[in-house]
Amino acid sequence: MTAHLESTAAKLLVRCLENEGVEYIFGIPGEENIHFIDALRDSSIRYILTRHEQGASFMADIYGRLTGKAGVCSATLGPGAINLLLGTADATTNSAPLVAISAQVGLNRIYKESHQVVDLVNMFRPVTKWAETVLTPEAIPEMVRKAFKQAQALRPGAVYLAIPQDIEALPTPADVRPLPVNLVRDAAPSPSQLARAVTLLQQARAPVLLAGHGAARAHAQPALLRFSERLNIPVATTFMGKGVFPDNHPNALVTVGFMRRDYVNFGFDQADVVLCVGYELQEFSPAQINPAADKQIIHIHTFPAEVDDHYTLAVGIEGDIALTLDELAQQLAPKSGLTVTGQKIRAVLQEEREKGARDASFPVKPQRLVADIRTALGDSDIVLADTGAVKMWMARLYPAYQPNTCLISNGLSTMAFALPGAIGAKLAYPDRKVLAVMGDGSFLMNAQELETAIREHLPFVVLIWVDESYGLIEWKMDMELGRHSHVTFTNPDFVSFAESFGAKGYRIQRAEELLPTLQRALADDTLSIIACPVDYTENIRLTDKLGKLTEPI
Ligand SMILES: Cc1ncc(C[n+]2csc(CCOP(=O)(O)OP(=O)(O)O)c2C)c(N)n1
């Protein structure tokens, strides 16, 4: 019994996690981390038991992305740890802070062929900023502090720690304590780089600002508004930057990053200087906005730009984003604002939105789905748009007004993050409505987490766009090959599927039912699944239409 009371590495680990302000750990226990799981009984940290470690990793990923504090996921060794990989990779490629912790076999057998041994550290290394094994209990305070510092600082990402089975149970001296937490702050921009950017912008004929995910992370919306309004410079956002500049602002040049040229690309064609603010190249290739590699690019971010032959910088400014924008704004005179083309871009998109909103055909047109989702959600509510054709429609047409209110994975573009991600989002923001918008393919990839949501009493809504196909791939095959194969499937009865978990289930049978059903489900205090047949004949119609646009619209 006394052994149970003395401090152990597992208990020290829990104290270190508490010291980092961890509120939740998402995961599934295993035989090799029972001491860690047991130590959480006496902790302020809530352990959210999931139904798949992949689900746990996406919950931590989205929690981290929304809060800026690393989401934590946990698993046993071997298979459990391997299942954490996808959400861990999603976090790193989407610059979201995440700490993945798993068990590992004991040091007494890690060096030889033995049961369940997989070289986990080497497996996690390529998808993390740092991955290491804890070799002694005394190292835990430093390693946990380093893990959180690495995950959360500058460009956030995932880290991984392996805790060998024989380490977690070891007694630890009482004087080994968590280390104090200090925050890494962004530096002030260099005055000489600012001066170079000012000179360039003074001469600029038609500058355009592109705000990316890093701007959303830096809470740069107020500074972007000040900058754009004072200098009258149009602002486009990336998929992941959506909302960091409000789409209903007169200077908004909407979202760029669709798989083919979109209206907004004409706005970039006319620009001579592009100010990329918090843009990360993993979001989409810079060739999309700088196809001839002839633009003057000013890169503003907390870290240096990646090298790319379509992203050769005229000026690079590293440092606090808001401070940089304010300094530039003070030193420059206003520009001429949205060009005629820019205004036309907004007008054609608005026309497309309004036409879609009025369309009463069934199956429901993607444009109508997007319009009804927008009407059903408040400005600060959160929609997670999963990967597939569904993402393309949401990214192009969904107007967002606040950062991180339309969550897209465009770094890894993984399927199936939205349902578990909605659990992370609801825990991060219990007072906001949360909607996961998913294709039927993605939904069934992680549908087991419905049980987690019900058990944890987390009310949110999943809206499934039903086409009985991996729609995006069908679209791409039709576009490039003129035919498709191996993409269609059948679905369970989504209503009884939902009800079997104790959730509410709805099947949309007419376009007019969608909005009231969404509103009712979002107002409900429980988990709801809405299955809505979607008319994806619109997909190829859209790319055909956009493909024919050759002149400035
Ligand atoms: C985990 C994962 N597997 C495969 C892919 C490739 N992929 C991208 S979209 C897609 C189809 C998505 O189908 P669905 O979820 O039904 O959405 P839809 O495209 O029909 O809207 C596939 C297979 C991926 N991005 N992620």
Side-chain angles (χ1 to χ4, degrees):
M1 283 314 283
T2 47
H4 179 72
L5 291 176
E6 77 190 7
S7 197
T8 60
K11 287 182 187 169
L12 176 61
L13 174 60
V14 170
R15 273 194 285 134
C16 289
L17 294 171
E18 286 169 351
N19 181 59
E20 295 292 337
V22 174
E23 295 179 287
Y24 303 102
I25 296 178
F26 306 95
I28 300 183
E31 287 173 83
E32 294 77 13
N33 67 353
I34 54 171
H35 296 274
F36 173 57
I37 302 296
D38 187 64
L40 286 165
R41 285 176 76 116
D42 304 319
S43 168
S44 57
I45 301 172
R46 189 166 160 69
Y47 187 84
I48 307 281
L49 184 72
T50 67
R51 302 308 302 272
H52 195 307
E53 291 88 350
Q54 186 184 112
S57 66
F58 284 134
M59 291 172 205
D61 175 19
I62 295 299
Y63 175 90
R65 184 156 152 196
L66 284 174
T67 62
K69 296 193 301 179
V72 182
C73 51
S74 148
T76 190
L77 46 65
I82 292 169
N83 274 347
L84 288 181
L85 257 187
L86 190 56
T88 303
D90 195 58
T92 295
T93 51
N94 288 336
S95 308
L98 178 145
V99 173
I101 302 173
S102 87
Q104 179 54 294
V105 302
L107 297 180
N108 56 345
R109 64 184 178 92
I110 197 168
Y111 54 88
K112 61 185 179 185
E113 177 182 322
S114 87
H115 183 59
Q116 289 191 300
V117 170
V118 172
D119 184 350
L120 294 172
V121 164
N122 267 322
M123 194 184 75
F124 273 93
R125 258 190 195 136
V127 297
T128 53
K129 292 175 75 181
W130 184 56
E132 210 43 85
T133 304
V134 173
L135 295 174
T136 165
E138 282 80 0
I140 289 175
E142 282 178 349
M143 292 186 79
V144 171
R145 184 75 278 276
K146 177 165 172 174
F148 280 79
K149 185 170 179 173
Q150 288 271 331
Q152 292 167 178
L154 293 180
R155 184 173 192 171
V159 301
Y160 167 73
L161 289 179
I163 318 281
Q165 184 181 8
D166 51 5
I167 295 284
E168 74 146 16
L170 285 181
T172 55
D175 58 347
V176 181
R177 295 217 159 83
L179 296 179
V181 174
N182 65 326
L183 294 180
V184 179
R185 289 171 208 282
D186 296 330
S190 135
S192 59
Q193 290 300 83
L194 281 172
R196 294 180 63 217
V198 166
T199 308
L200 195 63
L201 281 166
Q202 269 164 349
Q203 293 156 3
R205 191 181 27 80
V208 169
L209 191 151
L210 173 70
H213 186 218
R217 277 201 313 277
H219 308 288
Q221 185 180 74
L224 278 168
L225 283 166
R226 286 192 295 271
F227 181 88
S228 172
E229 284 170 4
R230 188 178 140 73
L231 301 185
N232 212 10
I233 290 182
V235 178
T237 67
T238 65
F239 281 17
M240 293 185 63
K242 271 184 91 67
V244 70
F245 195 79
D247 275 317
N248 53 0
H249 191 280
N251 285 351
L253 192 58
V254 301
T255 309
V256 65
F258 185 62
M259 52 185 170
R260 291 284 167 97
R261 274 183 72 80
D262 206 337
Y263 310 132
V264 55
N265 290 95
F266 292 106
F268 282 91
D269 288 351
Q270 294 192 337
D272 54 346
V273 174
V274 183
L275 274 124
C276 294
V277 179
Y279 162 59
E280 284 146 24
L281 276 67
Q282 208 143 19
E283 298 188 47
F284 64 76
S285 162
Q288 281 208 24
I289 50 163
N290 188 16
D294 56 353
K295 310 279 177 211
Q296 302 260 53
I297 292 175
I298 302 175
H299 170 88
I300 298 172
H301 212 320
T302 51
F303 53 88
E306 170 66 327
V307 172
D308 187 293
D309 59 2
H310 288 83
Y311 201 68
T312 304
L313 302 189
V315 185
I317 306 179
E318 287 118 46
D320 185 286
I321 289 178
L323 213 60
T324 304
L325 291 171
D326 283 342
E327 295 267 347
L328 288 177
Q330 272 167 24
Q331 297 181 42
L332 285 160
K335 296 284 172 182
S336 54
L338 217 55
T339 57
V340 177
T341 304
Q343 282 157 12
K344 278 194 194 158
I345 291 167
R346 288 171 60 99
V348 280
L349 201 72
Q350 192 50 24
E351 204 180 293
E352 199 179 314
R353 285 181 177 136
E354 282 167 14
K355 192 166 161 243
R358 289 192 304 268
D359 193 292
S361 58
F362 190 84
V364 183
K365 292 248 192 319
Q367 299 91 325
R368 169 82 187 243
L369 272 146
V370 177
D372 285 2
I373 292 166
R374 184 62 278 180
T375 308
L377 291 175
D379 289 5
S380 62
D381 292 337
I382 297 167
V383 59
L384 298 96
D386 215 287
T387 302
V390 62
K391 167 171 92 175
M392 296 300 165
W393 288 104
M394 285 293 291
R396 287 188 71 241
L397 294 182
Y398 184 78
Y401 312 122
Q402 295 179 17
N404 281 332
T405 53
C406 177
L407 300 186
I408 288 173
S409 165
N410 229 37
L412 193 63
S413 282
T414 180
M415 287 169 72
F417 78 94
L419 197 177
I423 294 178
K426 196 67 196 172
L427 289 168
Y429 286 107
D431 299 333
R432 297 199 196 174
K433 290 183 176 138
V434 172
L435 174 69
V437 176
M438 315 180 74
D440 40 9
S442 301
F443 173 73
L444 225 57
M445 269 190 185
N446 267 328
Q448 74 285 345
E449 301 308 336
L450 293 177
E451 194 279 326
T452 309
I454 286 284
R455 182 166 26 86
E456 289 292 330
H457 307 291
L458 295 171
F460 60 87
V461 180
V462 183
L463 173 63
I464 310 169
W465 295 23
V466 180
D467 68 332
E468 300 187 335
S469 173
Y470 291 116
L472 183 74
I473 313 304
E474 180 176 328
W475 187 357
K476 179 117 183 183
M477 284 182 164
D478 287 344
M479 235 177 352
E480 292 192 6
L481 311 175
R483 61 184 187 176
H484 62 262
S485 61
H486 310 97
V487 286
T488 58
F489 46 72
T490 59
N491 281 313
D493 173 349
F494 287 121
V495 174
S496 36
F497 186 82
E499 287 169 355
S500 73
F501 283 88
K504 285 194 182 161
Y506 301 92
R507 187 179 300 107
I508 302 300
Q509 286 165 315
R510 290 183 312 127
E512 301 75 52
E513 289 172 12
L514 178 60
L515 181 58
T517 310
L518 264 173
Q519 285 168 327
R520 188 174 147 192
L522 285 163
D524 222 339
D525 195 28
T526 190
L527 178 65
S528 301
I529 314 302
I530 305 172
C532 181
V534 59
D535 178 5
Y536 271 160
T537 58
E538 285 298 306
N539 293 351
I540 206 84
R541 207 166 291 148
L542 174 71
T543 31
D544 280 353
K545 182 174 83 179
L546 294 179
K548 289 195 189 97
L549 294 174
T550 46
E551 292 295 311
I553 50 174

